PDB file of all heavy atoms in Angstrom:
ATOM      1  N   PRO A 270      19.731   2.626  78.029  1.00 46.00           N
ATOM      2  CA  PRO A 270      20.182   3.997  78.254  1.00 46.00           C
ATOM      3  C   PRO A 270      20.917   4.504  77.051  1.00 46.00           C
ATOM      4  O   PRO A 270      21.198   3.855  76.094  1.00 46.00           O
ATOM      5  CB  PRO A 270      21.223   3.706  79.416  1.00 46.00           C
ATOM      6  CG  PRO A 270      21.651   2.312  79.301  1.00 46.00           C
ATOM      7  CD  PRO A 270      20.418   1.537  78.768  1.00 46.00           C
ATOM      8  N   THR A 271      21.016   5.843  77.059  1.00 44.00           N
ATOM      9  CA  THR A 271      21.616   6.535  75.938  1.00 44.00           C
ATOM     10  C   THR A 271      23.045   6.086  75.796  1.00 44.00           C
ATOM     11  O   THR A 271      23.764   5.927  76.821  1.00 44.00           O
ATOM     12  CB  THR A 271      21.514   8.047  76.122  1.00 44.00           C
ATOM     13  OG1 THR A 271      20.172   8.335  76.303  1.00 44.00           O
ATOM     14  CG2 THR A 271      22.006   8.760  74.874  1.00 44.00           C
ATOM     15  N   SER A 272      23.531   5.914  74.622  1.00 44.00           N
ATOM     16  CA  SER A 272      24.906   5.386  74.399  1.00 44.00           C
ATOM     17  C   SER A 272      25.849   6.445  74.955  1.00 44.00           C
ATOM     18  O   SER A 272      25.623   7.635  75.074  1.00 44.00           O
ATOM     19  CB  SER A 272      25.108   5.129  72.931  1.00 44.00           C
ATOM     20  OG  SER A 272      24.852   6.346  72.179  1.00 44.00           O
ATOM     21  N   GLY A 273      27.099   5.978  75.040  1.00 43.00           N
ATOM     22  CA  GLY A 273      28.187   6.796  75.662  1.00 43.00           C
ATOM     23  C   GLY A 273      28.631   7.930  74.728  1.00 43.00           C
ATOM     24  O   GLY A 273      28.052   8.114  73.602  1.00 43.00           O
ATOM     25  N   SER A 274      29.593   8.685  75.186  1.00 40.00           N
ATOM     26  CA  SER A 274      30.029   9.874  74.400  1.00 40.00           C
ATOM     27  C   SER A 274      30.937   9.462  73.313  1.00 40.00           C
ATOM     28  O   SER A 274      32.128   9.727  73.347  1.00 40.00           O
ATOM     29  CB  SER A 274      30.677  10.881  75.387  1.00 40.00           C
ATOM     30  OG  SER A 274      31.723  10.290  76.015  1.00 40.00           O
ATOM     31  N   SER A 275      30.436   8.629  72.394  1.00 41.00           N
ATOM     32  CA  SER A 275      31.298   8.297  71.236  1.00 41.00           C
ATOM     33  C   SER A 275      31.375   9.462  70.237  1.00 41.00           C
ATOM     34  O   SER A 275      30.429  10.231  70.106  1.00 41.00           O
ATOM     35  CB  SER A 275      30.721   7.055  70.578  1.00 41.00           C
ATOM     36  OG  SER A 275      29.390   7.307  70.184  1.00 41.00           O
ATOM     37  N   SER A 276      32.438   9.520  69.480  1.00 41.00           N
ATOM     38  CA  SER A 276      32.590  10.584  68.588  1.00 41.00           C
ATOM     39  C   SER A 276      31.645  10.452  67.387  1.00 41.00           C
ATOM     40  O   SER A 276      31.357   9.335  66.968  1.00 41.00           O
ATOM     41  CB  SER A 276      34.058  10.657  68.000  1.00 41.00           C
ATOM     42  OG  SER A 276      34.328   9.359  67.378  1.00 41.00           O
ATOM     43  N   ASN A 277      31.119  11.599  66.940  1.00 39.00           N
ATOM     44  CA  ASN A 277      30.204  11.527  65.857  1.00 39.00           C
ATOM     45  C   ASN A 277      30.856  11.887  64.519  1.00 39.00           C
ATOM     46  O   ASN A 277      31.453  12.920  64.391  1.00 39.00           O
ATOM     47  CB  ASN A 277      29.129  12.536  66.188  1.00 39.00           C
ATOM     48  CG  ASN A 277      28.027  12.575  65.081  1.00 39.00           C
ATOM     49  OD1 ASN A 277      28.100  11.692  64.211  1.00 39.00           O
ATOM     50  ND2 ASN A 277      27.054  13.474  65.134  1.00 39.00           N
ATOM     51  N   PRO A 278      30.912  10.896  63.505  1.00 39.00           N
ATOM     52  CA  PRO A 278      31.627  11.199  62.368  1.00 39.00           C
ATOM     53  C   PRO A 278      31.041  12.326  61.486  1.00 39.00           C
ATOM     54  O   PRO A 278      31.606  12.822  60.637  1.00 39.00           O
ATOM     55  CB  PRO A 278      31.511   9.885  61.619  1.00 39.00           C
ATOM     56  CG  PRO A 278      30.300   9.194  62.122  1.00 39.00           C
ATOM     57  CD  PRO A 278      30.245   9.585  63.606  1.00 39.00           C
ATOM     58  N   PHE A 279      29.812  12.743  61.841  1.00 37.00           N
ATOM     59  CA  PHE A 279      29.119  13.738  61.066  1.00 37.00           C
ATOM     60  C   PHE A 279      29.244  15.120  61.739  1.00 37.00           C
ATOM     61  O   PHE A 279      28.482  16.040  61.449  1.00 37.00           O
ATOM     62  CB  PHE A 279      27.665  13.444  60.844  1.00 37.00           C
ATOM     63  CG  PHE A 279      27.519  12.159  60.120  1.00 37.00           C
ATOM     64  CD1 PHE A 279      26.860  11.080  60.689  1.00 37.00           C
ATOM     65  CD2 PHE A 279      27.946  12.020  58.750  1.00 37.00           C
ATOM     66  CE1 PHE A 279      26.661   9.834  60.057  1.00 37.00           C
ATOM     67  CE2 PHE A 279      27.769  10.774  58.126  1.00 37.00           C
ATOM     68  CZ  PHE A 279      27.164   9.771  58.700  1.00 37.00           C
ATOM     69  N   SER A 280      30.126  15.196  62.851  1.00 38.00           N
ATOM     70  CA  SER A 280      30.152  16.429  63.616  1.00 38.00           C
ATOM     71  C   SER A 280      30.697  17.584  62.834  1.00 38.00           C
ATOM     72  O   SER A 280      30.561  18.760  63.153  1.00 38.00           O
ATOM     73  CB  SER A 280      30.874  16.153  64.920  1.00 38.00           C
ATOM     74  OG  SER A 280      32.257  15.783  64.636  1.00 38.00           O
ATOM     75  N   SER A 281      31.531  17.262  61.827  1.00 39.00           N
ATOM     76  CA  SER A 281      32.170  18.345  61.039  1.00 39.00           C
ATOM     77  C   SER A 281      31.840  18.034  59.544  1.00 39.00           C
ATOM     78  O   SER A 281      31.715  16.935  59.147  1.00 39.00           O
ATOM     79  CB  SER A 281      33.669  18.367  61.254  1.00 39.00           C
ATOM     80  OG  SER A 281      34.252  17.192  60.932  1.00 39.00           O
ATOM     81  N   ASN A 282      31.822  19.150  58.814  1.00 38.00           N
ATOM     82  CA  ASN A 282      31.502  19.018  57.413  1.00 38.00           C
ATOM     83  C   ASN A 282      32.816  19.204  56.567  1.00 38.00           C
ATOM     84  O   ASN A 282      33.459  20.227  56.531  1.00 38.00           O
ATOM     85  CB  ASN A 282      30.518  20.165  56.979  1.00 38.00           C
ATOM     86  CG  ASN A 282      30.158  20.044  55.471  1.00 38.00           C
ATOM     87  OD1 ASN A 282      30.587  19.095  54.854  1.00 38.00           O
ATOM     88  ND2 ASN A 282      29.408  20.982  54.993  1.00 38.00           N
ATOM     89  N   PRO A 283      33.305  18.053  55.977  1.00 39.00           N
ATOM     90  CA  PRO A 283      34.605  18.058  55.249  1.00 39.00           C
ATOM     91  C   PRO A 283      34.508  18.977  53.988  1.00 39.00           C
ATOM     92  O   PRO A 283      35.547  19.290  53.369  1.00 39.00           O
ATOM     93  CB  PRO A 283      34.914  16.638  54.942  1.00 39.00           C
ATOM     94  CG  PRO A 283      33.558  15.992  54.899  1.00 39.00           C
ATOM     95  CD  PRO A 283      32.757  16.682  55.938  1.00 39.00           C
ATOM     96  N   PHE A 284      33.320  19.283  53.575  1.00 37.00           N
ATOM     97  CA  PHE A 284      33.132  19.978  52.303  1.00 37.00           C
ATOM     98  C   PHE A 284      33.039  21.506  52.554  1.00 37.00           C
ATOM     99  O   PHE A 284      32.924  22.211  51.561  1.00 37.00           O
ATOM    100  CB  PHE A 284      31.911  19.458  51.563  1.00 37.00           C
ATOM    101  CG  PHE A 284      31.996  18.032  51.222  1.00 37.00           C
ATOM    102  CD1 PHE A 284      31.302  17.084  51.970  1.00 37.00           C
ATOM    103  CD2 PHE A 284      32.797  17.524  50.202  1.00 37.00           C
ATOM    104  CE1 PHE A 284      31.390  15.767  51.693  1.00 37.00           C
ATOM    105  CE2 PHE A 284      32.910  16.203  49.955  1.00 37.00           C
ATOM    106  CZ  PHE A 284      32.160  15.354  50.676  1.00 37.00           C
TER     107      PHE A 284
END
Side-chain angles (χ1 to χ4, degrees):
T271 307
S272 57
S274 59
S275 58
S276 59
N277 182 6
F279 301 114
S280 59
S281 61
N282 181 9
F284 300 103

